[in-house]
Amino acid sequence: MSNDYILAIDNGTQSIRALLFDANGHLVAKSQVMLEAYFSPQPGWAEHHAEDYWRALCQACQRLWAQTHAPRGSIKGVAVTTQRGTMVNLDKHGEPLRPAIVWLDQRKASQVPPLPWWWRTAFKLAGVEHTIRFFQHQAYPNWIKEHQPDIWAKTDKYLLLSGYLNYKLCGRMVDSIGSQVGYIPFDYKKHDWAPSWDWKWQGIPVERHMLPELVPPGTVIGEISRMAADATGIPVGTPLIAAAADKACEVIGAGCLTPDVGCLSYGTTATINTTSRKYVEATPFIPPYPAAVPGHYSSEIQIFRGFWMVSWFKEQFGHLEQMAAAEQGVAPEMLFDELVNAVPPGSMGLMLQPYWSPGIKVPGPEAKGSIIGFGDVHTRAHMYRAILEGLAYALKEGKEKIEKRSGTPITRLRVSGGGSQSDAAMQLTADIFNLPTARPHLYETSGLGAAIDAAVGLGLHGDFETAIRAMTRVGTEFEPNPQHAHIYRELYERVYQRMYERLKPLYEEIGRITGYPAPL
């Protein structure tokens, strides 16, 4: 088994990576191709040419072969994990009809299909009328049918990015259950397309024949085609195994398989997840997503503009650190950690609520970001630490929601994503949650999660529990500082948890006065 390798392809928002793992979870080789995250034909839009994702995948694979001595014939299988919610319209020949709409897109349909009276009545009685309306207006198919009806009429297949890349690799319209996260008619409880009577088929214009066949993670989808082999260098006939969406793969790649372990992702979107066999809606009527393990659910709370805020701060206020890092030949993150460590826990009263993008329920569509507590003592360093603390407070709130709904206490944390590489962010996370907090043994947890799916599907490990135990390990661990934890508990309970309720009426007034965000 030591000579068996797995190729994991991780198509994120800002790059695509080809990762070669062995059956013990060691990263043998890696290549990365940077992507333009999206282009915006109009404000709020986010699009990317689907063909460019494919070309970048091929380029990443070809670069990988130039960087490793591992024989290609030792690659036992391939698995693909991608960003969630990015959708591709294909014609009857399997060619894209328009640019993919990326998950960051904020356009809204103004005209949506009317639902039958019985569904409207049921949703009104359940108090979720607004949530359903939000879903319909946000759903990309409704916008495309309204504004580009000729394209929608020609759409033969409507796929997530994962389904499109699987098709390009093996020629089959098949996707993983674990990748189904988006405005699609999916039954999140039964892990299948919604039954014909479900309101989702009436809420968006997607028809069943437009969707791919679904298989559980770890299932062999097909084999690498001759065309794909020529483009990527992957040997023809290599098995292609279903993985899951990047966040789901990240969770198992961080070693989180039981509901007592909270998995934090410090990525563009910051999330807290737990994995369980039990269907748990952390927010009522908002379903858990499918996990990267068959028959499991991933209860999730997300902060949409999570560590995007950190990138924003660095772009707007971090030029000195970036220039100094270049001069010193060190990573900029080292100097940003120095900024954090120069400020005491609590940022001397500067408190941040990280709702830079609106939500669905709590926060609702009126939500905005806010920073309170400014004084003449505050500097860039205080603001930077307050951003990290605000994100951790919001995720702690998510942890408490998940615990309340599931009945299972979260007793330890694993943190992955770009933000996990900051020791300062890891320590304040341990302090705010007052829990032992660890980062995984490697950074590429999404790719490792996909490799775990492939390892089980190929029989390199007998089951998911065995594979996760063999392929994941804990890296650096951070224990909470009792004094810091006390300060954070006071600020969280007496200040942070009151902020949204107090500020919500003001957010609503801002929306009414400025028209942003526009009401549905």
mmCIF file of all heavy atoms in Angstrom, residues 252-273:
data_model
loop_
_atom_site.group_PDB
_atom_site.id
_atom_site.type_symbol
_atom_site.label_atom_id
_atom_site.label_comp_id
_atom_site.label_asym_id
_atom_site.label_seq_id
_atom_site.Cartn_x
_atom_site.Cartn_y
_atom_site.Cartn_z
ATOM 1 N N ILE A 252 -13.678 16.204 7.174
ATOM 2 C CA ILE A 252 -13.081 14.893 7.443
ATOM 3 C C ILE A 252 -11.566 14.947 7.293
ATOM 4 O O ILE A 252 -10.844 14.195 7.955
ATOM 5 C CB ILE A 252 -13.695 13.770 6.592
ATOM 6 C CG1 ILE A 252 -13.440 13.972 5.102
ATOM 7 C CG2 ILE A 252 -15.176 13.628 6.869
ATOM 8 C CD1 ILE A 252 -13.787 12.734 4.262
ATOM 9 N N GLY A 253 -11.065 15.862 6.452
ATOM 10 C CA GLY A 253 -9.617 16.025 6.331
ATOM 11 C C GLY A 253 -8.987 16.570 7.593
ATOM 12 O O GLY A 253 -7.787 16.380 7.838
ATOM 13 N N ALA A 254 -9.808 17.241 8.413
ATOM 14 C CA ALA A 254 -9.338 17.736 9.713
ATOM 15 C C ALA A 254 -9.547 16.696 10.814
ATOM 16 O O ALA A 254 -9.234 16.951 11.974
ATOM 17 C CB ALA A 254 -10.063 19.033 10.074
ATOM 18 N N GLY A 255 -10.099 15.534 10.440
ATOM 19 C CA GLY A 255 -10.275 14.458 11.412
ATOM 20 C C GLY A 255 -11.542 14.536 12.224
ATOM 21 O O GLY A 255 -11.638 13.934 13.293
ATOM 22 N N CYS A 256 -12.544 15.257 11.739
ATOM 23 C CA CYS A 256 -13.784 15.461 12.499
ATOM 24 C C CYS A 256 -14.876 14.527 11.980
ATOM 25 O O CYS A 256 -15.446 14.767 10.910
ATOM 26 C CB CYS A 256 -14.246 16.908 12.391
ATOM 27 S SG CYS A 256 -13.005 18.118 12.902
ATOM 28 N N LEU A 257 -15.177 13.491 12.724
ATOM 29 C CA LEU A 257 -16.185 12.523 12.303
ATOM 30 C C LEU A 257 -17.309 12.360 13.314
ATOM 31 O O LEU A 257 -18.324 11.763 13.020
ATOM 32 C CB LEU A 257 -15.522 11.164 12.036
ATOM 33 C CG LEU A 257 -16.377 10.063 11.408
ATOM 34 C CD1 LEU A 257 -16.938 10.505 10.056
ATOM 35 C CD2 LEU A 257 -15.590 8.773 11.249
ATOM 36 N N THR A 258 -17.152 12.931 14.512
ATOM 37 C CA THR A 258 -18.157 12.775 15.567
ATOM 38 C C THR A 258 -18.654 14.150 16.006
ATOM 39 O O THR A 258 -17.934 15.151 15.898
ATOM 40 C CB THR A 258 -17.565 12.025 16.768
ATOM 41 O OG1 THR A 258 -16.381 12.703 17.220
ATOM 42 C CG2 THR A 258 -17.204 10.591 16.389
ATOM 43 N N PRO A 259 -19.894 14.228 16.522
ATOM 44 C CA PRO A 259 -20.496 15.535 16.811
ATOM 45 C C PRO A 259 -19.893 16.273 18.007
ATOM 46 O O PRO A 259 -20.230 17.434 18.233
ATOM 47 C CB PRO A 259 -21.971 15.190 17.071
ATOM 48 C CG PRO A 259 -21.982 13.756 17.439
ATOM 49 C CD PRO A 259 -20.858 13.122 16.683
ATOM 50 N N ASP A 260 -18.994 15.633 18.769
ATOM 51 C CA ASP A 260 -18.365 16.335 19.889
ATOM 52 C C ASP A 260 -17.142 17.138 19.453
ATOM 53 O O ASP A 260 -16.563 17.879 20.247
ATOM 54 C CB ASP A 260 -17.950 15.336 20.974
ATOM 55 C CG ASP A 260 -16.942 14.327 20.470
ATOM 56 O OD1 ASP A 260 -17.170 13.757 19.390
ATOM 57 O OD2 ASP A 260 -15.922 14.109 21.149
ATOM 58 N N VAL A 261 -16.751 17.012 18.175
ATOM 59 C CA VAL A 261 -15.609 17.759 17.645
ATOM 60 C C VAL A 261 -16.138 18.836 16.704
ATOM 61 O O VAL A 261 -16.804 18.525 15.707
ATOM 62 C CB VAL A 261 -14.626 16.842 16.895
ATOM 63 C CG1 VAL A 261 -13.410 17.648 16.435
ATOM 64 C CG2 VAL A 261 -14.194 15.672 17.768
ATOM 65 N N GLY A 262 -15.858 20.084 17.015
ATOM 66 C CA GLY A 262 -16.258 21.177 16.149
ATOM 67 C C GLY A 262 -15.155 21.483 15.158
ATOM 68 O O GLY A 262 -13.989 21.604 15.535
ATOM 69 N N CYS A 263 -15.516 21.574 13.883
ATOM 70 C CA CYS A 263 -14.535 21.889 12.843
ATOM 71 C C CYS A 263 -14.767 23.318 12.368
ATOM 72 O O CYS A 263 -15.812 23.625 11.805
ATOM 73 C CB CYS A 263 -14.656 20.919 11.670
ATOM 74 S SG CYS A 263 -13.424 21.199 10.390
ATOM 75 N N LEU A 264 -13.798 24.177 12.642
ATOM 76 C CA LEU A 264 -13.861 25.566 12.188
ATOM 77 C C LEU A 264 -13.072 25.687 10.899
ATOM 78 O O LEU A 264 -11.976 25.137 10.777
ATOM 79 C CB LEU A 264 -13.262 26.520 13.224
ATOM 80 C CG LEU A 264 -14.186 27.008 14.346
ATOM 81 C CD1 LEU A 264 -14.700 25.851 15.185
ATOM 82 C CD2 LEU A 264 -13.453 28.013 15.236
ATOM 83 N N SER A 265 -13.637 26.379 9.946
ATOM 84 C CA SER A 265 -12.939 26.657 8.694
ATOM 85 C C SER A 265 -12.711 28.154 8.606
ATOM 86 O O SER A 265 -13.665 28.926 8.527
ATOM 87 C CB SER A 265 -13.760 26.177 7.496
ATOM 88 O OG SER A 265 -13.146 26.585 6.288
ATOM 89 N N TYR A 266 -11.456 28.543 8.634
ATOM 90 C CA TYR A 266 -11.103 29.955 8.515
ATOM 91 C C TYR A 266 -10.715 30.236 7.056
ATOM 92 O O TYR A 266 -9.561 30.442 6.720
ATOM 93 C CB TYR A 266 -9.963 30.299 9.466
ATOM 94 C CG TYR A 266 -10.388 30.521 10.903
ATOM 95 C CD1 TYR A 266 -9.453 30.598 11.939
ATOM 96 C CD2 TYR A 266 -11.728 30.668 11.245
ATOM 97 C CE1 TYR A 266 -9.842 30.817 13.254
ATOM 98 C CE2 TYR A 266 -12.128 30.876 12.550
ATOM 99 C CZ TYR A 266 -11.177 30.950 13.556
ATOM 100 O OH TYR A 266 -11.568 31.162 14.853
ATOM 101 N N GLY A 267 -11.728 30.193 6.200
ATOM 102 C CA GLY A 267 -11.536 30.468 4.787
ATOM 103 C C GLY A 267 -12.301 31.713 4.382
ATOM 104 O O GLY A 267 -12.742 32.494 5.231
ATOM 105 N N THR A 268 -12.470 31.911 3.069
ATOM 106 C CA THR A 268 -13.208 33.066 2.556
ATOM 107 C C THR A 268 -14.551 33.186 3.275
ATOM 108 O O THR A 268 -14.947 34.258 3.726
ATOM 109 C CB THR A 268 -13.428 32.924 1.038
ATOM 110 O OG1 THR A 268 -12.157 32.761 0.399
ATOM 111 C CG2 THR A 268 -14.114 34.151 0.479
ATOM 112 N N THR A 269 -15.264 32.066 3.361
ATOM 113 C CA THR A 269 -16.420 31.958 4.250
ATOM 114 C C THR A 269 -15.971 31.199 5.491
ATOM 115 O O THR A 269 -15.361 30.139 5.377
ATOM 116 C CB THR A 269 -17.572 31.199 3.567
ATOM 117 O OG1 THR A 269 -18.062 31.982 2.477
ATOM 118 C CG2 THR A 269 -18.713 30.929 4.530
ATOM 119 N N ALA A 270 -16.225 31.760 6.659
ATOM 120 C CA ALA A 270 -15.852 31.092 7.913
ATOM 121 C C ALA A 270 -17.035 30.257 8.379
ATOM 122 O O ALA A 270 -18.184 30.718 8.350
ATOM 123 C CB ALA A 270 -15.455 32.114 8.971
ATOM 124 N N THR A 271 -16.760 29.028 8.801
ATOM 125 C CA THR A 271 -17.840 28.130 9.206
ATOM 126 C C THR A 271 -17.464 27.354 10.462
ATOM 127 O O THR A 271 -16.284 27.208 10.789
ATOM 128 C CB THR A 271 -18.158 27.102 8.095
ATOM 129 O OG1 THR A 271 -16.976 26.338 7.806
ATOM 130 C CG2 THR A 271 -18.631 27.779 6.830
ATOM 131 N N ILE A 272 -18.496 26.868 11.138
ATOM 132 C CA ILE A 272 -18.316 25.838 12.155
ATOM 133 C C ILE A 272 -19.232 24.686 11.788
ATOM 134 O O ILE A 272 -20.409 24.886 11.471
ATOM 135 C CB ILE A 272 -18.582 26.350 13.590
ATOM 136 C CG1 ILE A 272 -18.398 25.190 14.592
ATOM 137 C CG2 ILE A 272 -19.959 27.001 13.730
ATOM 138 C CD1 ILE A 272 -18.335 25.635 16.038
ATOM 139 N N ASN A 273 -18.675 23.484 11.784
ATOM 140 C CA ASN A 273 -19.415 22.283 11.393
ATOM 141 C C ASN A 273 -19.249 21.188 12.434
ATOM 142 O O ASN A 273 -18.210 21.094 13.081
ATOM 143 C CB ASN A 273 -18.880 21.710 10.071
ATOM 144 C CG ASN A 273 -19.046 22.636 8.901
ATOM 145 O OD1 ASN A 273 -18.369 23.642 8.811
ATOM 146 N ND2 ASN A 273 -19.923 22.294 7.990
#
